[in-house]
Amino acid sequence: MKLSVIGTGYVGLTTGACLAKIGHEVICVDNDLRKISLLKEGKIPIYEPGLEEIVKEGAREGRLSFTTEIAEAVKNSSVIFIAVGTPPKETGEPDLSYVENVAREIGESMDDYKVIVEKSTVPVKTGKWVRTTIERYNKKGVPFDVASNPEFLREGSAVNDFLHPDRVVIGCESEKAKEILLEIYKPLNAKVLITDLASAELIKHAANAFLAMKISFINAVAIICELANVDVKEVSAGIGLDKRIGPHFLNAGIGYGGFCFPKDLDAFVKIAEELGYDFQLLKEVKKINDEMRERFVKKVKDLLWNLKEKKIGVLGLAFKPNTDDMRFAPAIDIINHLIREGARIQAYDPRAMENAKRVLPSITYCQSPYEVSKGAECLLILTEWEEFKSLDLKRVKELMKLPIIVDGRNIFEPAKMKELGFIYRGVGRGY
Ligand code: NAD
């Protein structure tokens, strides 16, 4: 089928490349000229495992192309996915002006039936506005349908998540649109849930809020574990074995970050507020998440006393492993706090340092975990990259000025670290 995807970021590019991989002809559109020219040269503007290969394959086989022109894409496709950003405003509400701009341009460019699909995460009832906008600018009165197909992929495993999803949610209001979307996703052989448009929109916010809640729940349990001298890893293993709870998203640490959970949680609180409900539970989820970063800094201070002029090494900057994405990464708040206290930071991340330089310009960037360890009076682990788990810890210890590690992701075992001669603090591991 001939498709286009507007917005070529983490979601749009993955969606476009994967839809091409399963046999569709896809045009990816972005108004960022730099991104499109890089993509036309076969270069990927972001780091996402496996993405480069399928982008190149799609382009080589003539199923994937790139443009900056929405009109051109609309004319040459029957289904248009909107995957532009919905960033948070100061108030916590999502900024939907990008979605509106795209809807207007689609309306102006249509000359035969189209299905316009919301792929971006948008508040419930956005579909109505998308429909109204397209109607207003679609002067020729061309028929169209609006549908919602929220995306559940995770950065770091986006390609695999898209091609092997737990479920595909399709929210639509016409039989025709439903059949077209089912046809698009048929090659995936995935479990498909058909709903009305508004339910599909709400599913996305509810799912992300639930996952964030799971993280804050285990983090609150981790605080209790520290007070009771119990290991949260054992507690999460014990509760995760219950099928009704499940083992996922029960890793205690410095909390969630990234472009989705923080903004989607704020947005859901706002959506609820506008509908007349005070979603206090989610406010508490956010509060616990913020508190985890403060508690982490306090742990560092409890071990180092004054931070002024102290050399602190940081391993991991991205908001999670296997991505270069720094948006709302916990590392930003933690490092800024340490800098305010006068600490000197030297950091390493396998993929996110270029993006980190924009948000954390005043720290020293190193080329390896060992360079970070050199002369450090404390080492912090802020992202659980695989390569940190297999560090030569004896070498790390020799390079450090003081053998102190504060692990915000619980990648090491406290007993082993003690045996190696480290002063080691994880999150919720007891003392
Ligand atoms: P992103 O910032 O990486 O990409 C958005 C892209 O849209 C940018 O490249 C931008 O240049 C482009 N754009 C903006 N206005 C445009 C216009 N008028 N015409 C053409 N292109 C335009 O964002 P993302 O992380 O891909 O997220 C996109 C949406 O998907 C958001 O609503 C987000 O909440 C949702 N989502 C993200 C993830 C994730 O893990 N990143 C997962 C699921 C859902």
Side-chain angles (χ1 to χ4, degrees), residues 106-348:
I106 295 171
E108 286 167 347
S109 322
M110 292 189 327
D111 43 23
D112 56 1
Y113 173 80
K114 309 283 178 200
V115 182
I116 295 98
V117 189
E118 296 169 349
K119 190 57 132 168
S120 303
T121 302
V122 292
V124 59
K125 306 264 170 72
T126 299
K128 281 194 170 174
W129 274 112
V130 171
R131 161 170 291 284
T132 305
T133 308
I134 296 174
E135 263 163 12
R136 283 178 184 165
Y137 290 90
N138 165 16
K139 305 275 190 235
K140 296 178 201 156
V142 175
F144 69 94
D145 276 306
V146 176
S148 163
N149 169 221
E151 185 49 58
F152 300 100
L153 63 75
R154 296 160 298 173
E155 288 176 28
S157 53
V159 172
N160 191 58
D161 290 348
F162 191 96
L163 295 174
H164 308 283
D166 289 345
R167 79 301 205 188
V168 171
V169 174
I170 294 173
C172 48
E173 287 171 344
S174 87
E175 199 57 29
K176 192 171 174 182
K178 181 182 109 181
E179 292 305 327
I180 289 173
L181 280 157
L182 281 173
E183 187 62 29
I184 292 174
Y185 281 106
K186 204 168 162 194
L188 290 186
N189 251 331
K191 199 178 277 178
V192 179
L193 179 73
I194 306 283
T195 67
D196 59 76
L197 209 158
S199 304
E201 292 170 331
L202 197 62
I203 285 168
K204 175 65 191 173
H205 274 113
N208 270 5
F210 190 87
L211 292 171
M213 182 180 74
K214 244 184 143 180
I215 296 174
S216 280
F217 177 82
I218 200 65
N219 279 336
V221 172
I223 295 172
I224 297 170
C225 287
E226 285 182 5
L227 297 169
N229 201 13
V230 164
D231 188 348
V232 71
K233 281 215 168 181
E234 294 193 355
V235 177
S236 55
I239 58 179
L241 283 169
D242 186 326
K243 287 199 189 75
R244 294 167 302 175
I245 298 173
H248 306 292
F249 271 72
L250 288 178
N251 295 324
I254 47 176
Y256 57 79
F259 189 52
C260 290
F261 286 175
K263 83 169 168 61
D264 290 351
L265 200 83
D266 284 351
F268 205 24
V269 169
K270 279 279 164 194
I271 292 164
E273 199 177 289
E274 271 168 31
L275 291 168
Y277 177 62
D278 181 8
F279 213 148
Q280 287 196 45
L281 174 66
L282 295 190
K283 291 180 182 169
E284 200 58 34
V285 167
K286 179 179 159 61
K287 195 170 143 231
I288 295 168
N289 198 56
D290 293 343
E291 201 183 325
M292 294 318 286
R293 297 171 194 194
E294 286 158 28
R295 284 183 158 264
F296 185 80
V297 172
K298 184 170 180 306
K299 245 175 223 167
V300 179
K301 287 170 76 176
D302 286 348
L303 288 163
L304 293 184
W305 192 16
N306 298 300
L307 296 185
K308 202 169 168 193
E309 296 301 322
K310 296 263 164 77
K311 212 183 209 187
I312 297 181
V314 171
L315 293 182
L317 296 165
F319 84 94
K320 62 183 287 195
N322 296 323
T323 181
D324 59 354
D325 199 347
M326 280 299 295
R327 292 179 292 183
F328 304 98
I332 301 172
D333 283 349
I334 291 171
I335 291 175
N336 279 331
H337 192 150
L338 298 172
I339 292 173
R340 280 197 301 277
E341 301 262 351
R344 286 186 293 142
I345 308 293
Q346 49 197 38
Y348 167 76

Side-chain angles (χ1 to χ4, degrees), residues 373-393:
S373 309
K374 221 171 175 176
E377 289 157 276
C378 180
L379 203 56
L380 312 182
I381 293 157
L382 302 187
T383 316
E384 65 275 38
W385 284 93
E386 273 307 308
E387 75 168 84
F388 301 155
K389 296 180 185 168
S390 52
L391 281 179
D392 177 349
L393 290 167

Side-chain angles (χ1 to χ4, degrees), residues 6-13 29-32 35 46 68 70 82-87 97-99 101-102 105 119-122 150-155 158 204 208 259-260 263-264 319 325 327:
I6 304 179
T8 310
Y10 287 88
V11 166
L13 185 58
V29 190
D30 207 288
N31 60 0
D32 182 334
K35 255 186 201 178
I46 53 172
T68 51
I70 290 184
I82 302 179
V84 296
T86 48
S97 60
Y98 303 90
V99 174
N101 289 342
V102 168
E105 273 201 66
K119 190 57 132 168
S120 303
T121 302
V122 292
E151 185 49 58
F152 300 100
L153 63 75
R154 296 160 298 173
E155 288 176 28
K204 175 65 191 173
N208 270 5
F259 189 52
C260 290
K263 83 169 168 61
D264 290 351
F319 84 94
D325 199 347
R327 292 179 292 183

